[in-house]
Amino acid sequence: MKNKIMISISFLLFLIFLIFAYQISQTEVLEIDNFFIQHVVVNGRTDFFTVLFKLLTFFSSVAGLILFTILGLMLMKKKKEKLPFLLNIGGVVLFSQILKILFQRERPLLLYRLVEESGFSFPSGHSMVGASFYAYLIYLIWKGNLSKNKKVTITTLLSLLILGIGFSRIYLGVHYASDVLSGFCLGIGYTLIFILLKESSEKTPNKSLVRSFHYAGEGIISAFFLERNMKIHVFVMTLVVMAGIYFHISLVEWMICIVLFGIVISAEIMNTAIETTIDLVMPDIHPKAKFAKDLAAGSVLVLAIISIVIGLMIFLPKFWILI
């Protein structure tokens, strides 16, 4: 019964999104957009609300989400919950960016904006990702051992935060109301489907395809928490992503960076697997074992150096312009 309700809600939310998508394909600015521009952006701003909504929008910014994702991973006691947590946020970010490229709706006029933003407007990435991220936190809270009163309190606060993030994007003049509402629908609908798939995978036999992906994810998480070099790679990757957003690198440059991320991290995971296997079958020191480990580590180093060179080719000209 619960699953049917969640599927029905998701279907309804996706249907609302499709209605908005059709409407903006027919006209650039909807009536609901003009209403919020007139009553919120033009006539509703105060110094207090400007400070408040700039703070709220941070909770779904790139820096904010990275910070809260790291904190969430640190606070999670159950290791098996960490991979779905990362998959949920990663999936919704990718989904939102693909939709922006597909629709290519321009943002509201510059004269309405209180903060600088680049990229396309529909759907609102902050609203979509924020709704998904904090809705999934609500799901985890209700799975935990807190008292019902605490669960209700936290759920209420997170729900208000989701609404606040969305409203902040309208107030700050960087999104239309239809962008935000569509983002809410997609973010919550996506998360409901994700939760259904997650819970379904937990009930399937160990040899199922979904379970295989689960074990692969556990390997990635273990490599991150146990290997120092993996943490360095992820840290550098995070810096590159933030630099890419700051400098507004092109789609081709993003594709190059993403491919390099995958190659280097995959090589590091393979290096870890090789080292672990050698330690298992040959616990004593042996020249050939050392040679094999050195070769594996060397391959990662070569890929890392090549990635650094390509990264410098992409970002150095952009840094040079700033200087």
Side-chain angles (χ1 to χ4, degrees):
M1 185 65 180
K2 182 188 74 172
N3 290 355
K4 291 182 179 180
I5 293 175
M6 293 174 68
I7 292 173
S8 299
I9 294 174
S10 300
F11 177 80
L12 177 61
L13 292 173
F14 290 140
L15 179 61
I16 294 173
F17 161 75
L18 290 175
I19 292 172
F20 275 120
Y22 173 77
Q23 288 180 330
I24 68 166
S25 70
Q26 302 300 308
T27 179
E28 182 64 22
V29 183
L30 308 184
E31 290 185 12
I32 190 173
D33 300 329
N34 286 322
F35 175 86
F36 276 91
I37 289 173
Q38 181 65 34
H39 292 85
V40 176
V41 177
V42 176
N43 298 317
R45 286 173 172 170
T46 66
D47 292 338
F48 170 77
F49 283 128
T50 298
V51 173
L52 173 64
F53 288 122
K54 283 184 177 180
L55 173 63
L56 287 176
T57 205
F58 170 79
F59 282 84
S60 194
S61 65
V62 173
L65 289 172
I66 291 174
L67 173 63
F68 297 131
T69 298
I70 293 173
L71 287 175
L73 291 172
M74 292 173 62
L75 293 173
M76 283 184 192
K77 296 180 180 180
K78 296 181 179 179
K79 184 179 178 181
K80 66 177 183 178
E81 292 289 356
K82 293 181 178 181
L83 177 60
F85 181 65
L86 289 174
L87 289 177
N88 179 67
I89 182 66
V92 76
V93 168
L94 179 62
F95 189 24
S96 68
Q97 294 305 308
I98 291 173
L99 289 172
K100 283 179 179 289
I101 294 172
L102 288 176
F103 287 98
Q104 297 189 7
R105 187 189 196 186
E106 296 297 330
R107 291 183 183 272
L109 299 175
L110 283 171
L111 62 92
Y112 294 140
R113 305 184 198 177
L114 294 180
V115 294
E116 292 187 12
E117 287 287 357
S118 61
F120 297 112
S121 188
F122 184 85
S124 166
H126 277 67
S127 303
M128 181 174 171
V129 177
S132 176
F133 182 83
Y134 294 108
Y136 194 78
L137 283 184
I138 291 173
Y139 162 73
L140 292 177
I141 291 297
W142 281 92
K143 285 191 65 179
N145 298 321
L146 296 176
S147 66
K148 185 175 180 179
N149 288 338
K150 289 182 179 179
K151 289 179 179 179
V152 171
T153 301
I154 295 174
T155 298
T156 302
L157 292 175
L158 290 178
S159 299
L160 290 174
L161 177 60
I162 292 172
L163 294 174
I165 290 170
F167 193 81
S168 74
R169 306 308 288 169
I170 302 172
Y171 180 92
L172 296 173
V174 292
H175 278 294
Y176 296 106
S178 53
D179 298 333
V180 170
L181 293 173
S182 298
F184 283 160
C185 290
L186 286 172
I188 296 173
Y190 166 90
T191 303
L192 291 175
I193 296 299
F194 183 89
I195 291 171
L196 284 174
L197 293 174
K198 170 184 174 293
E199 293 184 346
S200 175
S201 70
E202 292 173 347
K203 298 175 182 177
T204 56
N206 290 340
K207 293 184 179 180
S208 70
L209 178 62
V210 175
R211 183 62 66 178
S212 298
F213 281 110
H214 176 76
Y215 289 143
E218 284 188 347
I220 295 172
I221 292 177
S222 297
F224 173 77
F225 283 101
L226 298 177
E227 291 297 319
R228 180 190 61 186
N229 289 345
M230 180 64 79
K231 294 178 182 179
I232 295 173
H233 292 319
V234 173
F235 175 73
V236 173
M237 182 179 71
T238 303
L239 292 180
V240 172
V241 169
M242 296 178 70
I245 293 172
Y246 179 79
F247 287 110
H248 312 309
I249 63 177
S250 67
L251 178 61
V252 173
E253 290 171 330
W254 272 119
M255 292 171 66
I256 293 171
C257 289
I258 291 170
V259 170
L260 291 175
F261 294 158
I263 291 174
V264 173
I265 289 177
S266 296
E268 185 62 50
I269 292 173
M270 185 62 68
N271 175 47
T272 301
I274 292 172
E275 289 185 348
T276 302
T277 302
I278 292 173
D279 291 338
L280 180 64
V281 301
M282 191 172 292
D284 298 327
I285 297 176
H286 192 282
K288 289 188 176 181
K290 178 182 181 302
F291 182 58
K293 287 185 177 182
D294 290 344
L295 287 176
S299 66
V300 178
L301 179 61
V302 170
L303 289 171
I305 292 174
I306 293 173
S307 298
I308 291 172
V309 171
I310 296 175
L312 291 175
M313 293 171 65
I314 292 174
F315 288 101
L316 270 184
K318 297 174 173 39
F319 279 108
W320 182 256
I321 292 175
L322 288 180
I323 297 174

